[in-house]
Amino acid sequence: MPVIDLARCPVKTGSIYPEPYAGMMAGRSSLRLGDAGGLTQFGVNLVTLQPGALSSLRHWHMAEDEFVMVTLGECVLVQDAGETVMRAGDCAAFPAGDPDGHHFLNRSGSVAQFLVVGSKAPREVATYSDVDLRIEIEAGRARFTYKDGTDWAGVRDEP
């Protein structure tokens, strides 16, 4: 059984989001466990949130299921219906195609971690609930657009 050496596991910091959203991801990092283990059909990441950090913009996936289990500390799950405090051992599932955007915030004074497991669809579209932004991913390439599908060119003034 191949054991993943966490000390040699790829760490991702920062974000592929365009600005100003990339700057909002300070204090978030993830160990790419699935990549380190050579997995190709689903992703597994251990996300670390420093106090005050958020996991992502609130989003939902068109084609990919996502499962989260808090492993350390406490974070707040934010969805359309409101907020839920989650602690170590608590789990949440986000089925593909459900337009209830979600993300996690660390409002505590301590580090929080959660394990994320998600499918790797050949083509994916994620929509960001609170901003005019979408990402289309195909063949490993990411393309940011507005929700209407036009190419991203910076934050637009809201009507």
Side-chain angles (χ1 to χ4, degrees):
M1 171 189 292
V3 175
I4 297 170
D5 181 354
L6 296 182
R8 293 177 171 226
C9 190
V11 177
K12 181 176 186 237
T13 59
S15 170
I16 67 167
Y17 292 151
E19 289 296 350
Y21 309 120
M24 297 169 62
M25 299 303 112
R28 177 200 184 277
S29 64
S30 63
L31 286 177
R32 307 307 228 173
L33 302 172
D35 291 348
L39 301 180
T40 60
Q41 296 180 22
F42 59 93
V44 182
N45 299 313
L46 182 62
V47 177
T48 299
L49 296 179
Q50 299 299 321
L54 65 149
S55 62
S56 63
L57 296 173
R58 209 163 63 87
H59 67 283
W60 60 276
H61 297 274
M62 181 66 69
E64 295 181 352
D65 288 334
E66 192 173 17
F67 173 86
V68 173
M69 179 178 189
V70 177
T71 59
L72 177 71
E74 173 182 297
C75 46
V76 178
L77 166 62
V78 180
Q79 295 178 271
D80 290 346
E83 299 183 354
T84 304
V85 174
M86 295 183 65
R87 295 180 180 88
D90 291 341
C91 301
F94 309 100
D98 181 351
D100 186 359
H102 62 276
H103 72 171
F104 294 86
L105 308 172
N106 182 356
R107 292 191 180 136
S108 78
S110 302
V111 170
Q113 288 185 321
F114 56 90
L115 189 69
V116 180
V117 179
S119 51
K120 286 187 174 182
R123 184 174 192 291
E124 169 63 310
V125 175
T127 302
Y128 298 93
S129 303
D130 302 320
V131 298
D132 188 6
L133 184 65
R134 281 183 352 151
I135 186 171
E136 299 174 359
I137 301 173
E138 188 165 7
R141 298 186 121 156
R143 174 180 170 243
F144 284 99
T145 71
Y146 298 103
K147 289 179 182 174
D148 65 10
T150 58
D151 287 335
W152 170 264
V155 176
R156 296 195 282 201
D157 292 329
E158 297 294 326

Short mmCIF file of all heavy atoms in Angstrom, two decimals, residues 1-34:
data_model
loop_
_atom_site.label_atom_id
_atom_site.label_comp_id
_atom_site.label_asym_id
_atom_site.label_seq_id
_atom_site.Cartn_x
_atom_site.Cartn_y
_atom_site.Cartn_z
N MET A 1 0.85 -1.18 0.00
CA MET A 1 0.00 0.00 0.00
C MET A 1 0.89 1.24 0.00
O MET A 1 1.70 1.42 0.90
CB MET A 1 -0.90 0.00 1.24
CG MET A 1 -1.65 1.30 1.42
SD MET A 1 -2.52 1.44 2.96
CE MET A 1 -3.78 0.23 2.75
N PRO A 2 0.76 2.10 -0.99
CA PRO A 2 1.59 3.30 -1.03
C PRO A 2 1.15 4.32 0.04
O PRO A 2 -0.01 4.70 0.10
CB PRO A 2 1.37 3.85 -2.43
CG PRO A 2 0.19 3.17 -2.99
CD PRO A 2 -0.08 1.94 -2.16
N VAL A 3 2.09 4.69 0.86
CA VAL A 3 1.84 5.67 1.90
C VAL A 3 2.31 7.03 1.39
O VAL A 3 3.42 7.15 0.86
CB VAL A 3 2.58 5.29 3.20
CG1 VAL A 3 2.42 6.37 4.25
CG2 VAL A 3 2.08 3.94 3.72
N ILE A 4 1.48 8.03 1.55
CA ILE A 4 1.82 9.39 1.11
C ILE A 4 2.62 10.08 2.20
O ILE A 4 2.17 10.18 3.34
CB ILE A 4 0.55 10.18 0.76
CG1 ILE A 4 -0.18 9.50 -0.40
CG2 ILE A 4 0.88 11.63 0.44
CD1 ILE A 4 -1.56 10.05 -0.69
N ASP A 5 3.79 10.55 1.85
CA ASP A 5 4.65 11.30 2.77
C ASP A 5 4.19 12.75 2.75
O ASP A 5 4.43 13.48 1.78
CB ASP A 5 6.10 11.17 2.32
CG ASP A 5 7.08 11.91 3.23
OD1 ASP A 5 6.63 12.62 4.16
OD2 ASP A 5 8.29 11.77 3.00
N LEU A 6 3.51 13.17 3.82
CA LEU A 6 2.96 14.52 3.87
C LEU A 6 4.05 15.59 3.73
O LEU A 6 3.79 16.66 3.19
CB LEU A 6 2.17 14.73 5.15
CG LEU A 6 0.92 13.86 5.31
CD1 LEU A 6 0.19 14.21 6.60
CD2 LEU A 6 -0.01 13.99 4.11
N ALA A 7 5.25 15.29 4.19
CA ALA A 7 6.34 16.25 4.09
C ALA A 7 6.76 16.50 2.64
O ALA A 7 7.36 17.52 2.32
CB ALA A 7 7.54 15.78 4.91
N ARG A 8 6.46 15.54 1.75
CA ARG A 8 6.81 15.68 0.33
C ARG A 8 5.60 15.96 -0.55
O ARG A 8 5.71 16.00 -1.77
CB ARG A 8 7.50 14.41 -0.16
CG ARG A 8 8.84 14.20 0.50
CD ARG A 8 9.44 12.90 0.05
NE ARG A 8 10.80 12.82 0.52
CZ ARG A 8 11.81 12.44 -0.23
NH1 ARG A 8 11.63 12.11 -1.47
NH2 ARG A 8 13.01 12.40 0.28
N CYS A 9 4.47 16.14 0.08
CA CYS A 9 3.22 16.35 -0.65
C CYS A 9 3.19 17.77 -1.24
O CYS A 9 3.56 18.73 -0.56
CB CYS A 9 2.07 16.15 0.32
SG CYS A 9 0.48 16.08 -0.46
N PRO A 10 2.73 17.92 -2.48
CA PRO A 10 2.62 19.27 -3.05
C PRO A 10 1.67 20.15 -2.23
O PRO A 10 0.61 19.70 -1.81
CB PRO A 10 2.04 19.04 -4.45
CG PRO A 10 2.14 17.58 -4.71
CD PRO A 10 2.28 16.89 -3.40
N VAL A 11 2.08 21.38 -1.98
CA VAL A 11 1.26 22.35 -1.25
C VAL A 11 0.86 23.44 -2.23
O VAL A 11 1.70 23.97 -2.96
CB VAL A 11 2.04 22.99 -0.08
CG1 VAL A 11 1.19 24.04 0.62
CG2 VAL A 11 2.50 21.93 0.91
N LYS A 12 -0.42 23.76 -2.24
CA LYS A 12 -0.90 24.85 -3.09
C LYS A 12 -1.29 26.02 -2.20
O LYS A 12 -2.07 25.86 -1.27
CB LYS A 12 -2.10 24.41 -3.93
CG LYS A 12 -2.59 25.53 -4.82
CD LYS A 12 -3.70 25.08 -5.72
CE LYS A 12 -4.02 26.20 -6.67
NZ LYS A 12 -5.35 26.65 -6.66
N THR A 13 -0.73 27.17 -2.50
CA THR A 13 -1.13 28.40 -1.82
C THR A 13 -1.60 29.37 -2.88
O THR A 13 -1.37 29.17 -4.07
CB THR A 13 0.04 29.02 -1.02
OG1 THR A 13 1.12 29.28 -1.93
CG2 THR A 13 0.53 28.09 0.08
N GLY A 14 -2.23 30.41 -2.46
CA GLY A 14 -2.74 31.38 -3.42
C GLY A 14 -3.95 30.84 -4.14
O GLY A 14 -4.59 29.88 -3.70
N SER A 15 -4.27 31.45 -5.26
CA SER A 15 -5.49 31.11 -5.99
C SER A 15 -5.29 31.38 -7.47
O SER A 15 -4.49 32.23 -7.85
CB SER A 15 -6.63 31.99 -5.46
OG SER A 15 -7.76 31.86 -6.26
N ILE A 16 -6.05 30.67 -8.29
CA ILE A 16 -6.06 30.98 -9.72
C ILE A 16 -7.11 32.03 -10.04
O ILE A 16 -7.24 32.45 -11.18
CB ILE A 16 -6.27 29.73 -10.59
CG1 ILE A 16 -7.66 29.13 -10.41
CG2 ILE A 16 -5.18 28.72 -10.36
CD1 ILE A 16 -8.04 28.09 -11.46
N TYR A 17 -7.88 32.48 -9.04
CA TYR A 17 -8.89 33.51 -9.28
C TYR A 17 -8.23 34.76 -9.86
O TYR A 17 -7.11 35.11 -9.49
CB TYR A 17 -9.57 33.94 -7.98
CG TYR A 17 -10.45 32.93 -7.31
CD1 TYR A 17 -10.61 32.97 -5.93
CD2 TYR A 17 -11.15 31.96 -8.01
CE1 TYR A 17 -11.44 32.08 -5.28
CE2 TYR A 17 -11.97 31.07 -7.37
CZ TYR A 17 -12.11 31.12 -6.00
OH TYR A 17 -12.93 30.24 -5.36
N PRO A 18 -8.97 35.48 -10.68
CA PRO A 18 -8.48 36.80 -11.09
C PRO A 18 -8.60 37.78 -9.92
O PRO A 18 -9.38 37.55 -8.99
CB PRO A 18 -9.42 37.18 -12.24
CG PRO A 18 -10.68 36.42 -11.97
CD PRO A 18 -10.26 35.15 -11.29
N GLU A 19 -7.81 38.84 -9.97
CA GLU A 19 -7.97 39.89 -8.95
C GLU A 19 -9.28 40.62 -9.20
O GLU A 19 -9.74 40.69 -10.33
CB GLU A 19 -6.79 40.88 -9.01
CG GLU A 19 -5.49 40.29 -8.51
CD GLU A 19 -5.49 39.91 -7.03
OE1 GLU A 19 -6.43 40.25 -6.29
OE2 GLU A 19 -4.55 39.22 -6.62
N PRO A 20 -9.94 41.08 -8.18
CA PRO A 20 -9.47 41.21 -6.80
C PRO A 20 -9.70 39.96 -5.94
O PRO A 20 -9.37 39.94 -4.76
CB PRO A 20 -10.32 42.36 -6.26
CG PRO A 20 -11.64 42.19 -6.97
CD PRO A 20 -11.27 41.69 -8.35
N TYR A 21 -10.25 38.91 -6.52
CA TYR A 21 -10.64 37.73 -5.74
C TYR A 21 -9.44 36.90 -5.27
O TYR A 21 -9.49 36.33 -4.19
CB TYR A 21 -11.63 36.88 -6.53
CG TYR A 21 -12.78 37.70 -7.05
CD1 TYR A 21 -13.04 37.81 -8.41
CD2 TYR A 21 -13.59 38.43 -6.17
CE1 TYR A 21 -14.09 38.58 -8.88
CE2 TYR A 21 -14.63 39.22 -6.64
CZ TYR A 21 -14.88 39.29 -7.99
OH TYR A 21 -15.91 40.07 -8.46
N ALA A 22 -8.37 36.85 -6.04
CA ALA A 22 -7.20 36.07 -5.63
C ALA A 22 -6.65 36.57 -4.30
O ALA A 22 -6.28 35.78 -3.43
CB ALA A 22 -6.12 36.13 -6.71
N GLY A 23 -6.63 37.87 -4.12
CA GLY A 23 -6.12 38.46 -2.89
C GLY A 23 -6.93 38.11 -1.66
O GLY A 23 -6.44 38.20 -0.53
N MET A 24 -8.17 37.70 -1.87
CA MET A 24 -9.05 37.34 -0.75
C MET A 24 -8.73 35.95 -0.19
O MET A 24 -9.26 35.56 0.84
CB MET A 24 -10.51 37.38 -1.20
CG MET A 24 -10.97 38.76 -1.63
SD MET A 24 -12.57 38.76 -2.47
CE MET A 24 -13.66 38.13 -1.20
N MET A 25 -7.85 35.20 -0.84
CA MET A 25 -7.56 33.83 -0.43
C MET A 25 -6.33 33.72 0.47
O MET A 25 -5.84 32.62 0.73
CB MET A 25 -7.37 32.92 -1.65
CG MET A 25 -8.59 32.83 -2.56
SD MET A 25 -10.09 32.26 -1.72
CE MET A 25 -11.07 33.76 -1.78
N ALA A 26 -5.83 34.84 0.98
CA ALA A 26 -4.68 34.81 1.90
C ALA A 26 -5.04 33.96 3.12
O ALA A 26 -6.16 34.00 3.61
CB ALA A 26 -4.31 36.22 2.32
N GLY A 27 -4.08 33.17 3.57
CA GLY A 27 -4.30 32.33 4.75
C GLY A 27 -4.88 30.97 4.44
O GLY A 27 -5.21 30.21 5.35
N ARG A 28 -5.01 30.65 3.17
CA ARG A 28 -5.54 29.35 2.74
C ARG A 28 -4.43 28.59 2.02
O ARG A 28 -3.73 29.13 1.18
CB ARG A 28 -6.70 29.54 1.77
CG ARG A 28 -7.24 28.25 1.22
CD ARG A 28 -8.02 28.52 -0.08
NE ARG A 28 -8.63 27.34 -0.60
CZ ARG A 28 -8.01 26.44 -1.36
NH1 ARG A 28 -6.75 26.61 -1.69
NH2 ARG A 28 -8.64 25.38 -1.80
N SER A 29 -4.29 27.32 2.37
CA SER A 29 -3.37 26.45 1.64
C SER A 29 -3.95 25.05 1.61
O SER A 29 -4.87 24.74 2.36
CB SER A 29 -1.98 26.44 2.30
OG SER A 29 -2.06 25.89 3.60
N SER A 30 -3.42 24.22 0.71
CA SER A 30 -3.93 22.84 0.67
C SER A 30 -2.82 21.88 0.27
O SER A 30 -1.97 22.19 -0.57
CB SER A 30 -5.11 22.71 -0.29
OG SER A 30 -4.75 23.01 -1.61
N LEU A 31 -2.83 20.73 0.92
CA LEU A 31 -1.96 19.62 0.55
C LEU A 31 -2.70 18.82 -0.51
O LEU A 31 -3.83 18.38 -0.29
CB LEU A 31 -1.68 18.71 1.75
CG LEU A 31 -0.73 19.23 2.81
CD1 LEU A 31 -0.65 18.23 3.97
CD2 LEU A 31 0.64 19.48 2.24
N ARG A 32 -2.08 18.60 -1.65
CA ARG A 32 -2.69 17.89 -2.77
C ARG A 32 -2.45 16.39 -2.61
O ARG A 32 -1.59 15.79 -3.25
CB ARG A 32 -2.13 18.40 -4.09
CG ARG A 32 -2.21 19.90 -4.26
CD ARG A 32 -3.60 20.42 -4.05
NE ARG A 32 -3.95 21.33 -5.12
CZ ARG A 32 -5.14 21.83 -5.28
NH1 ARG A 32 -6.12 21.50 -4.49
NH2 ARG A 32 -5.39 22.65 -6.26
N LEU A 33 -3.20 15.78 -1.72
CA LEU A 33 -3.00 14.37 -1.37
C LEU A 33 -3.28 13.44 -2.54
O LEU A 33 -2.53 12.48 -2.77
CB LEU A 33 -3.87 14.00 -0.18
CG LEU A 33 -3.65 14.83 1.09
CD1 LEU A 33 -4.70 14.49 2.13
CD2 LEU A 33 -2.26 14.61 1.63
N GLY A 34 -4.36 13.69 -3.27
CA GLY A 34 -4.68 12.84 -4.41
C GLY A 34 -3.61 12.90 -5.48
O GLY A 34 -3.22 11.86 -6.04
#
